[in-house]
């Protein structure tokens, strides 16, 4: 086995996932082309040295379909010898790409792999690809399917997190993200996106709302109470029999934003990086995925982190910084409680509540954000983790070199 290293990462800004969003005019392959060309230029990379490009995309339809990784490699003008793979592990897809790339490198089969993901949610809405989990009544019933928002409310009810608790967390996410953007902490890795004529489409993350407070969030109506009343609450309560009802506390303001975006990381062996004239920034120490209960669905980060920590021979207290994807406010709150973490070490520059969650790219984005912040604070170790639709979790531990 060989060590796998992170050499660099780039991402687009995240644009509002609607027709008036800053990236709506950019096709998903254009976002990837922009990043691939930027990565090549900033590293002076001979792309013929790259063995593969592994990308996550949760809704691989239309412009995002037909192995967009391979298409983007060719469209960006990279060497024809570079292969491309597109995969989906739902919301974990971007981080799964990195873990797959690391496994390829660790096996010795490949030396340099680009990993990341893309999602143009303003053009291809979440769930538009269907699937038995959503659409097959037999599967729905067998798995106890409920929408993710109701799963989040179920966790909040079980854990005793109030509406005030989740709103306070969401407000802090916006405050941290606004402060990080103002201080230029994302500048190193964010690549502005221009159109084919060279006109700027978007240079900064678009959905941060600095004026957000618990008081402004308190005025929003719960988003999932009506769905719950249509029978989904009853489905959940048949499985979680200790509860009499579900307290619906999540809404658009304390849930992840729907956005467009893409991200890439260069993963490689020490020899592969040296041959390309590159210095590693971090080593991937461990990576893990795990299945979890599919109705509650969003509790996978804790066991995934525990599995990765065991692989690395570490305890949660050994990790300096954490990125726990803010699919809903309750997810990082519960994960931090489970692992005994201070929220001062979690999502220190805000998370998906403020910045948005471009499904196939988010895992790659938060791992890159984690790396940048470890370097800025001169810290050593970090862990990135996400909950996953259908009941899974993923975690990756990195260590600076």
């Amino acid at each position: 086995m060989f060590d796998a290293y992170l050499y660099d990462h780039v991402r687009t800004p995240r644009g509002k996932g609607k027709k008036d969003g800053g990236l709506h005019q950019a096709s998903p392959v254009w976002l990837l082309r922009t990043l691939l060309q930027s990565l090549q230029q900033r590293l002076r990379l001979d792309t013929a040295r790259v063995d593969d490009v592994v990308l996550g995309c949760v809704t691989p339809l239309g412009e995002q379909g037909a192995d967009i990784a391979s298409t983007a490699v060719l469209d960006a003008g990279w060497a024809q010898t570079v292969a491309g793979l597109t995969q989906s592990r739902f919301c974990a897809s971007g981080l799964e790409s990195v873990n797959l790339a690391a496994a390829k490198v660790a096996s010795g089969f490949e030396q340099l792999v680009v990993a990341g993901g893309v999602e143009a949610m303003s053009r291809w809405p979440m769930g538009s690809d269907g699937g038995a989990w959503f659409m097959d009544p037999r599967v729905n019933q067998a798995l106890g399917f409920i929408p993710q928002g109701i799963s989040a409310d179920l966790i909040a009810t079980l854990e005793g997190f109030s509406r005030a608790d989740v709103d306070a967390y969401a407000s802090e996410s916006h405050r941290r993200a606004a402060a990080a953007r103002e201080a230029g902490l994302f500048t190193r890795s964010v690549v502005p996106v221009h159109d084919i004529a060279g006109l700027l489409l978007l240079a900064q993350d678009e959905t941060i709302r600095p004026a957000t407070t618990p008081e402004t969030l308190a005025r929003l109506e719960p988003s999932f109470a009506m769905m719950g009343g249509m029978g989904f609450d009853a489905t959940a309560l048949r499985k979680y029999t200790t509860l009499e009802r579900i307290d619906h506390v999540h809404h658009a303001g304390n849930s992840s934003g729907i956005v467009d975006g893409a991200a890439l990381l260069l993963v490689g062996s020490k020899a592969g990086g040296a041959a390309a004239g590159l210095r590693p920034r971090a080593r991937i120490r461990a990576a893990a995925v795990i299945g979890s209960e599919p109705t509650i669905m969003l509790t996978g980060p804790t066991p995934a982190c525990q599995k990765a920590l065991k692989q690395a021979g570490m305890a949660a207290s050994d990790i300096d910084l954490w990125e726990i994807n803010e699919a809903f406010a309750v997810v990082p709150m519960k994960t931090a409680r489970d692992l005994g973490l201070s929220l001062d070490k979690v999502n220190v520059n805000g998370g998906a509540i403020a910045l948005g969650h471009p499904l196939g790219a988010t895992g790659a984005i938060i791992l890159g954000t984690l790396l940048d912040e470890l370097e800025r604070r001169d810290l050593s170790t970090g862990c990135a983790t996400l909950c996953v639709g259908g009941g899974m979790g993923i975690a990756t531990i990195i260590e600076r070199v």
Side-chain angles (χ1 to χ4, degrees):
M1 294 289 290
F2 300 86
D3 284 331
Y5 295 92
L6 297 177
Y7 284 94
D8 205 2
H9 77 97
V10 290
R11 70 170 178 91
T12 67
R14 281 166 276 192
K16 183 170 60 174
K18 297 183 179 180
K19 291 183 178 180
D20 61 347
L23 295 181
H24 177 66
Q25 295 181 53
S27 69
V29 77
W30 185 262
L31 298 179
L32 293 169
R33 169 194 169 104
T34 297
L35 293 185
L36 286 164
Q37 291 181 343
S38 174
L39 190 66
Q40 177 184 5
Q41 292 162 8
R42 65 194 269 159
L43 298 179
R44 299 180 181 178
L45 182 64
D46 176 2
T47 60
R49 294 186 178 276
V50 176
D51 295 295
D52 203 0
V53 173
V54 181
L55 298 180
C57 183
V58 175
T59 311
L61 288 175
E63 303 160 306
Q64 296 185 158
D67 193 0
I68 191 173
S70 178
T71 305
V73 164
L74 297 172
D75 190 46
W78 279 35
Q80 291 184 17
T81 53
V82 182
L85 166 69
T86 306
Q87 54 80 27
S88 173
R89 196 186 287 280
F90 290 158
C91 301
S93 298
L95 193 56
E96 177 67 11
S97 294
V98 177
N99 294 350
L100 287 173
K104 286 168 169 279
V105 169
S107 72
F109 290 165
E110 297 179 1
Q111 298 299 309
L112 288 176
V113 181
V114 171
V118 64
E119 208 78 38
M121 299 182 76
S122 70
R123 300 165 76 103
W124 298 97
M126 178 171 56
S128 55
D129 56 335
W133 185 49
F134 296 103
M135 302 182 70
D136 186 325
R138 181 191 62 80
V139 174
N140 288 175
Q141 185 174 16
L143 300 184
F145 166 78
I146 61 175
Q148 286 191 357
I150 295 175
S151 298
D153 289 338
L154 173 59
I155 293 170
T157 306
L158 287 166
E159 295 287 329
F161 291 123
S162 69
R163 170 67 183 267
D165 293 333
V166 292
D167 282 354
Y169 181 93
S171 176
E172 179 65 6
S173 180
H174 280 281
R175 188 198 68 77
R176 292 182 182 187
R181 183 177 64 182
E182 182 67 22
L185 303 188
F186 302 136
T187 303
R188 175 178 182 177
S189 301
V190 171
V191 178
V193 178
H194 298 78
D195 68 12
I196 197 167
L199 298 175
L200 179 66
L201 294 177
L202 191 64
Q204 292 187 323
D205 297 307
E206 192 173 26
T207 60
I208 303 170
R209 298 188 298 276
T212 300
T213 66
E215 291 73 27
T216 61
L217 294 176
R219 294 197 289 265
L220 299 177
E221 292 294 324
S223 295
F224 307 104
M226 183 177 294
M227 289 185 193
M230 295 168 60
F232 289 116
D233 278 6
T235 298
L237 293 173
R238 280 195 294 272
K239 186 168 286 189
Y240 291 87
T241 57
T242 60
L243 298 179
E244 294 183 1
R245 65 181 181 83
I246 294 175
D247 186 13
H248 291 285
V249 299
H250 286 89
H251 50 76
N254 56 32
S255 306
S256 56
I258 295 171
V259 295
D260 301 332
L264 300 175
L265 296 97
L266 180 61
V267 182
S269 65
K270 183 170 286 188
L278 304 174
R279 294 181 62 184
R281 295 172 61 185
R283 178 168 67 97
I284 297 176
R285 283 199 56 171
V289 292
I290 199 162
S292 60
E293 199 279 297
T295 297
I296 205 165
M297 195 185 317
L298 308 175
T299 56
T302 295
C305 289
Q306 291 168 336
K307 187 176 180 181
L309 287 165
K310 184 177 180 180
Q311 286 179 12
M314 302 174 73
S317 58
D318 296 325
I319 301 295
D320 295 316
L321 290 177
W322 296 78
E323 285 286 328
I324 305 172
N325 187 42
E326 294 173 356
F328 301 89
V330 77
V331 175
M333 295 173 72
K334 173 176 168 51
T335 306
R337 175 187 282 180
D338 290 344
L339 297 174
L341 311 178
S342 166
L343 288 175
D344 292 339
K345 293 184 176 183
V346 176
N347 301 350
V348 295
N349 292 323
I353 289 171
L355 293 156
H357 179 17
L359 304 177
T362 302
I365 291 174
I366 65 173
L367 190 66
T369 299
L370 180 64
L371 175 58
D372 284 346
E373 191 62 20
L374 286 172
E375 291 177 341
R376 190 179 77 83
R377 297 187 181 210
D378 194 22
L379 297 173
S380 178
T381 56
C383 181
T385 183
L386 299 91
C387 60
V388 189
M392 291 182 282
I394 190 170
T396 302
I397 296 173
I398 62 172
E399 181 178 33
R400 284 179 58 209
V401 297

